[in-house]
Amino acid sequence: MPRFAEVLLPLSIPGTYTYRIPTDFAVSVGHRVLVPFGRKKIYTAIVTMLHDVEPKGYEIKEIMAPLDQKPIVRHPQLKFWDWMAEYYLCSTGEVFKAAIPSGLKVESETFISPNPDFEEIEPGSLTDRERVILDFTAQRGRVQITDITRATGFKNVEGLVSKMLDMNAIHVSERVVDNYRPKTEVCVRLTIERTDEQALHGFFDQVHRAPKQEALLLAYLDLSRWLQHAPPREVTKENLLKRAGVSGAVLQAATSRGIFEIYKKEINRFAHLAASLSPLPTLTSEQQRAYNEIHRSMREHDITLLHGVTSSGKTAIYMKLIDDALALGNQVLYLVPEIALTTQLTQRLRRVFGDRLLIYHSKFSDNERVDIWKRLLANSEPCVVVGVRSAVFLPFAKLGLVIVDEEHDSSYKQQDPAPRYNGRNAAMVLAHMHGAKTLLGSATPAIETYYRALAGKYGLVRLLTRYEDIEMPEVHIIDTKQARKRREMAGTFSQELIASCRQALAQGEQVILFQNRRGYAPMVRCKECGWVPRCENCDVSLTYHKHMRALTCHYCGHTISLPDLCPACRMPGIEIVGYGTERIEDEIDNLFPDEKISRMDLDTTRSKNSYDRIIDEFSKRKTNILVGTQMVTKGLDFDGVSIVGILNADQMINFPDFRASERAFDMLEQVSGRAGRAHKQGKVIVQTYDPSNPIIGFVQNHDYEGFYQHELAEREKFGYPPFKRIINIYLKHRDDATVGEVAVRYSNMLRQVFGNRVMGPERPLVGRVQNLYIRQLVLKMENQASMPKVKIILRQIYENLIKIDGRMKSVRLYFDVDPV
């Protein structure tokens, strides 16, 4: 039996660590184990390898305990984690931390307790603050650092505790915390065997003078099918008391007599989701053609792109392909970019696939996510998992098909923390490792995806007509600059938009208004002196939220109250500047006081069921006007929408980023596709200060091919994807001068290896976030470059710089591969 295990810790440190396996422990690759790390910490680790090679030069710690009887990861998950760490230039420990639900990561919590034997060496050796902490711990006995901070209001409690620990005034202990709690149900059973009729008669003799207990016994026999020639049923306490019509005290009395036994049973949290099944939707002739072409393409290509215009019925094709995969005994991963999309999609899929459908996203609690993880581990039954990008980490046993819907969407990209992966690209690699096929679907494919499809690397299937041959929506362009000169604007709304909305609502139709900025207004300012409130932690102005009457930073969350007087000139001249979704909702309510309005943005969708509620109310026409950010652009299907208003198209186009045009076209075309999805052509009204911008023209004509050729020429001219691979490098530090000097030195060392592939350093658009000053470098690499080799070179340069300039140790450095 191997004596040592290599384990992976959920930390941003390279490599694995070696631990000794106690003789009475049975562990294997993929097992969770509890290990000590550092002086006091305890972590959950994953065993990655077993061996007999004893490391030299340091003391080897022992594994404290195995946490499972079976491994909690399957092949090829560890291989997938390694690929992600190599490609996205981070540690495998960071991937592990992101991949496993928090409920499966048992960790230690630091507790402080007083040392009863502590005596001050001399009076006054403890400061006043340290004495307060010591008194507080003496009163409570055992407290956490967060409790001390909350009770005293002291800053840097960790530093004070560290000093007191050195003085032996306090002890630090660790309590291992397991956050996972299975869902249980209280059940009841008889304390006798089913065949023991004599004992059962004895029970009736005991309760014949207690009619309520007798009713309880009779109810149990009925619910459990005890006397029938059928498999017995488990009986819940709730159902038993309800059937017998008695209280819990009666059950307790019968239990104390030895008649019943009460126990807890672990149950599936999602059992209630099963529904009666409906047949698959019938495909139209165009959908059937596309379906047949996808099957032919999959025989030749691992990855196929379905380029289908909005409302062409791509979901019906997906469902037919899912049914094919399940019939072969395979599992399916169906990725969507936003949680909002799972709401409508789940309802459609549930009707066809019943309890074979699983949903996985961040609005689920840790316990719910652990239950899904354990269900996939427990068996390899055919099922379809609908989820956002994090679903790629689930332990699939027999993955046969991966569908990435709205594959162009930037929401597939994880920004912070590491790993900064793209869920679409990761899903394609995962599918390849399982030997599965991948289908990418979009009305506006990503430039790189379409480029590879045209080059023959991916299969390509087109579906360019809408369901039931409904025409694409008619797009009207409003020149807001000219409209303001003619006084044809009411706030941010043109007269044509207001008139079109009024006409649609009068006919019982619905309206979507799109503004890609949340809050009431992007900023406030003093009209007397020009003062603008800015975040004290970030280099951005604060956004006004009317319902809180507060100014908030959308980068760090810093919030202040809206002042009545300008802090600079002490005049009452504070004015609201610009429009966010909250202000749009407010003004639309004034324009259409009799209509029911809902808003969908980050502020209104923080709770688990908020997406469902907003979408359900709009689908059932309980609300008539939906105001939203980019959440409303993505794949939602509302039959009643005839008007879509885009209030400020320039906001998306005029952004200093090489992908700005692509993001703007995607978003404008996608939100346009919400109009006229059933029975009649819709109408889209785009308000812009620059109607001559070519992006506006491509949207007006629904011309993806024209936009693609225009954008591809720009990318080739300036060396951007798909012709080059981009790696953004960020350096952050609390001192602006330090990060600036270190960034220059680091960029010079990079240029010695990579030459003119290195650009920068530059201060980004937002140069300070959460009191950290930022510098950005851009590394343009050839597509053929080996990412593992690039990672090794970058690591070596980093280590060399630390030797030359010790300040590099305090600088936070990270990489963003393939930024979107």
Side-chain angles (χ1 to χ4, degrees):
M1 178 179 174
R3 294 182 298 143
F4 302 99
E6 295 298 314
V7 305
L8 181 65
L9 292 162
L11 302 171
S12 58
I13 51 178
T16 57
Y17 283 76
T18 307
Y19 284 81
R20 190 184 306 277
I21 305 171
T23 54
D24 56 337
F25 286 179
V27 298
S28 60
V29 172
H31 263 111
R32 282 189 310 160
V33 291
L34 211 56
V35 296
F37 188 76
R39 287 178 61 195
K40 292 285 183 180
K41 282 290 181 184
I42 298 168
Y43 286 104
T44 294
I46 299 286
V47 176
T48 61
M49 188 172 71
L50 304 174
H51 61 85
D52 285 314
V53 181
E54 183 172 359
K56 305 297 182 184
Y58 60 89
E59 180 186 356
I60 304 172
K61 297 180 179 179
E62 280 197 345
I63 291 173
M64 296 173 65
L67 293 174
D68 306 285
Q69 294 183 346
K70 296 180 180 179
I72 66 145
V73 294
R74 293 181 185 270
H75 175 79
Q77 280 179 285
L78 292 175
K79 180 182 175 184
F80 179 61
W81 295 359
D82 285 338
W83 168 83
M84 187 171 282
E86 292 290 353
Y87 187 85
Y88 290 105
L89 305 179
C90 63
S91 72
T92 311
E94 289 172 306
V95 181
F96 164 33
K97 187 173 182 178
I100 299 288
S102 296
L104 288 176
K105 291 194 287 283
V106 178
E107 294 186 358
S108 58
E109 292 182 352
T110 302
F111 283 84
I112 311 299
S113 57
N115 179 4
D117 300 324
F118 172 70
E119 293 181 5
E120 288 188 69
I121 299 173
E122 57 185 48
S125 59
L126 286 175
T127 66
D128 290 342
R129 290 192 168 202
E130 290 164 355
R131 194 174 299 282
V132 168
I133 292 174
L134 190 61
D135 290 343
F136 182 73
T137 56
Q139 291 171 10
R140 298 290 186 91
R142 194 163 173 266
V143 296
Q144 288 183 267
I145 288 178
T146 51
D147 297 330
I148 300 172
T149 304
R150 196 180 303 116
T152 63
F154 295 164
K155 293 184 178 180
N156 191 27
V157 169
E158 292 85 356
L160 296 170
V161 166
S162 178
K163 183 182 173 185
M164 295 173 70
L165 188 63
D166 292 337
M167 297 167 61
N168 204 29
I170 57 174
H171 293 312
V172 173
S173 61
E174 297 290 329
R175 185 184 73 180
V176 175
V177 177
D178 185 350
N179 292 317
Y180 173 64
R181 296 292 180 272
K183 186 173 184 180
T184 57
E185 201 169 46
V186 178
C187 295
V188 180
R189 61 189 167 209
L190 289 179
T191 57
I192 59 174
E193 295 293 329
R194 195 178 183 188
T195 55
D196 194 344
E197 294 184 11
Q198 186 175 354
L200 182 61
H201 287 300
F203 285 164
F204 276 106
D205 291 340
Q206 286 187 57
V207 299
H208 79 281
R209 293 182 182 274
K212 290 186 178 180
Q213 292 181 38
E214 186 178 43
L216 199 67
L217 183 55
L218 288 168
Y220 176 83
L221 297 177
D222 183 30
L223 288 171
S224 67
R225 303 195 294 194
W226 186 275
L227 302 176
Q228 301 174 29
H229 296 292
R233 286 180 182 156
E234 285 190 290
V235 178
T236 66
K237 176 182 174 181
E238 181 183 1
N239 288 343
L240 179 60
L241 296 179
K242 186 176 179 181
R243 173 66 67 90
V246 300
S247 67
V250 177
L251 175 61
Q252 197 60 48
T255 303
S256 63
R257 283 184 164 186
I259 297 173
F260 290 110
E261 177 187 353
I262 299 174
Y263 64 99
K264 285 186 177 180
K265 170 194 170 189
E266 189 173 331
I267 61 170
N268 179 4
R269 292 175 197 275
F270 307 101
H272 67 283
L273 296 176
S276 56
L277 301 186
S278 302
L280 284 165
T282 303
L283 300 184
T284 65
S285 58
E286 271 296 287
Q287 289 172 332
Q288 186 66 44
R289 176 195 58 77
Y291 165 79
N292 294 337
E293 287 185 16
I294 290 169
H295 267 294
R296 285 195 292 272
S297 174
M298 285 181 172
R299 287 195 284 270
E300 300 174 8
H301 299 91
D302 288 338
I303 302 167
T304 298
L305 169 65
L306 173 59
H307 179 202
V309 298
T310 56
S311 194
S312 57
K314 295 187 290 294
T315 305
I317 297 173
Y318 298 157
M319 292 168 73
K320 186 75 169 69
L321 293 166
I322 291 168
D323 190 60
D324 294 342
L326 296 178
L328 293 173
N330 291 328
Q331 296 171 331
V332 180
L333 172 60
Y334 189 152
L335 286 186
V336 293
E338 289 273 3
I339 296 170
L341 272 179
T342 65
T343 299
Q344 283 193 329
L345 190 59
T346 298
Q347 294 170 358
R348 291 185 66 179
L349 296 180
R350 181 77 64 197
R351 287 195 291 267
V352 175
F353 301 112
D355 60 3
R356 290 186 294 175
L357 176 70
L358 303 176
I359 305 102
Y360 191 81
H361 57 63
S362 60
K363 283 290 191 288
F364 278 7
S365 68
D366 281 334
N367 288 335
E368 289 172 320
R369 279 182 278 178
V370 170
D371 281 351
I372 293 172
W373 189 284
K374 287 189 170 184
R375 175 171 170 177
L376 286 171
L377 272 180
N379 53 61
S380 56
E381 63 184 10
C383 63
V384 52
V385 177
V386 175
V388 293
R389 59 176 180 260
S390 59
V392 298
F393 295 120
L394 286 168
F396 294 99
K398 195 179 178 185
L399 191 62
L401 175 66
V402 172
I403 296 170
V404 185
D405 197 18
E406 310 293 352
E407 62 83 27
H408 66 277
D409 201 286
S410 59
S411 297
Y412 282 121
K413 176 70 171 177
Q414 162 76 8
Q415 300 297 340
D416 275 309
R420 295 170 180 85
Y421 67 100
N422 188 306
R424 174 199 61 204
N425 297 347
M428 292 190 289
V429 172
L430 179 71
H432 178 74
M433 289 181 177
H434 278 271
K437 299 295 184 181
T438 302
L439 178 65
L440 310 175
S442 177
T444 55
I447 297 295
E448 294 97 313
T449 301
Y450 202 61
Y451 178 80
R452 293 187 182 105
L454 292 180
K457 292 182 180 179
Y458 301 165
L460 176 60
V461 177
R462 292 185 174 93
L463 184 60
L464 302 181
T465 57
R466 294 185 117 189
Y467 184 71
E468 294 185 347
D469 293 324
I470 300 295
E471 291 185 52
M472 294 295 288
E474 180 184 2
V475 179
H476 289 234
I477 308 298
I478 304 295
D479 185 338
T480 47
K481 184 165 60 177
Q482 293 300 320
R484 288 197 187 281
K485 286 181 180 178
R486 296 192 296 266
R487 297 186 178 182
E488 295 175 352
M489 299 288 291
T492 194
F493 308 103
S494 63
Q495 287 184 0
E496 180 176 343
L497 176 58
I498 294 171
S500 297
C501 291
R502 185 163 283 127
Q503 181 181 358
L505 293 167
Q507 294 172 354
E509 297 164 350
Q510 292 173 295
V511 172
I512 290 178
L513 298 175
F514 171 64
Q515 174 78 337
N516 202 31
R517 189 186 291 272
R518 65 187 173 100
Y520 191 81
M523 62 180 282
V524 300
R525 71 179 171 210
C526 175
K527 55 189 175 186
E528 302 295 337
C529 71
W531 170 81
V532 174
R534 302 187 69 81
C535 178
E536 63 181 33
N537 306 315
C538 313
D539 286 342
V540 293
S541 59
L542 298 176
T543 300
Y544 177 51
H545 289 257
K546 185 181 178 183
H547 74 285
M548 299 186 299
R549 192 172 165 74
L551 297 163
T552 300
C553 173
H554 287 170
Y555 284 83
C556 72
H558 173 68
T559 300
I560 62 173
S561 299
L562 180 70
D564 295 315
L565 299 177
C566 171
C569 67
R570 309 305 298 170
M571 296 292 287
I574 302 292
E575 65 175 350
I576 308 299
V577 181
Y579 285 81
T581 48
E582 188 184 353
R583 188 175 185 183
I584 300 295
E585 180 186 27
D586 219 20
E587 298 204 358
I588 280 291
D589 191 38
N590 292 331
L591 287 168
F592 302 99
D594 298 327
E595 302 295 342
K596 294 180 180 178
I597 304 165
S598 59
R599 171 165 55 97
M600 190 158 80
D601 57 26
L602 188 61
D603 297 319
T604 61
T605 56
R606 294 189 187 277
S607 64
K608 177 181 175 181
N609 297 316
S610 51
Y611 289 99
D612 298 34
R613 177 183 53 78
I614 294 169
I615 291 171
D616 187 59
E617 288 178 355
F618 196 65
S619 296
K620 293 178 178 177
R621 306 202 187 192
K622 294 179 181 178
T623 53
N624 308 320
I625 302 174
L626 178 62
V627 178
T629 58
Q630 44 83 27
M631 290 180 182
V632 304
T633 70
K634 300 170 183 177
L636 295 173
D637 189 2
F638 302 117
D639 289 348
V641 176
S642 63
I643 299 292
V644 168
I646 298 168
L647 303 180
N648 188 350
D650 313 291
Q651 194 178 66
M652 293 169 283
I653 298 171
N654 300 324
F655 196 81
D657 179 63
F658 79 92
R659 292 193 190 273
S661 294
E662 182 180 9
R663 276 198 302 266
F665 177 83
D666 291 348
M667 214 170 286
L668 294 171
E669 183 65 17
Q670 289 285 340
V671 76
S672 298
R674 300 316 105 208
R677 297 177 68 88
H679 313 306
K680 64 174 286 188
Q681 183 183 23
K683 182 177 180 181
V684 180
I685 298 172
V686 180
Q687 297 184 167
T688 173
Y689 279 89
D690 185 15
S692 63
N693 190 299
I695 304 301
I696 300 296
F698 293 132
V699 171
Q700 186 171 23
N701 297 317
H702 303 290
D703 184 9
Y704 174 80
E705 294 285 347
F707 164 74
Y708 168 77
Q709 295 298 337
H710 173 271
E711 185 67 11
L712 195 69
E714 292 287 307
R715 300 276 185 95
E716 187 171 25
K717 181 179 178 181
F718 295 105
Y720 284 109
F723 304 101
K724 296 279 186 178
R725 175 177 290 152
I726 301 295
I727 303 172
N728 283 343
I729 304 172
Y730 294 95
L731 298 95
K732 295 184 177 182
H733 195 272
R734 292 195 175 275
D735 181 68
D736 192 26
T738 297
V739 74
E741 292 166 14
V742 170
V744 169
R745 177 167 277 183
Y746 183 61
S747 65
N748 290 337
M749 294 178 73
L750 288 175
R751 285 190 180 89
Q752 292 175 14
V753 178
F754 296 108
N756 61 6
R757 297 179 184 86
V758 181
M759 296 184 291
E762 299 287 343
R763 192 188 300 268
L765 193 63
V766 180
R768 182 174 61 106
V769 175
Q770 296 182 359
N771 281 324
L772 293 174
Y773 293 90
I774 309 168
R775 294 295 185 276
Q776 177 185 351
L777 295 93
V778 177
L779 187 58
K780 285 186 177 181
M781 298 299 300
E782 291 77 12
N783 289 329
Q784 298 77 21
S786 165
M787 292 305 288
K789 290 181 180 178
V790 170
K791 183 178 183 179
I792 291 170
I793 295 170
L794 291 172
R795 182 74 191 175
Q796 289 173 344
I797 293 173
Y798 170 74
E799 291 173 355
N800 291 337
L801 183 54
I802 286 179
K803 296 174 184 176
I804 299 170
D805 190 339
R807 295 177 300 176
M808 190 64 185
K809 289 181 180 179
S810 62
V811 173
R812 185 185 171 203
L813 172 73
Y814 66 87
F815 307 96
D816 185 7
V817 180
D818 300 336
V820 298

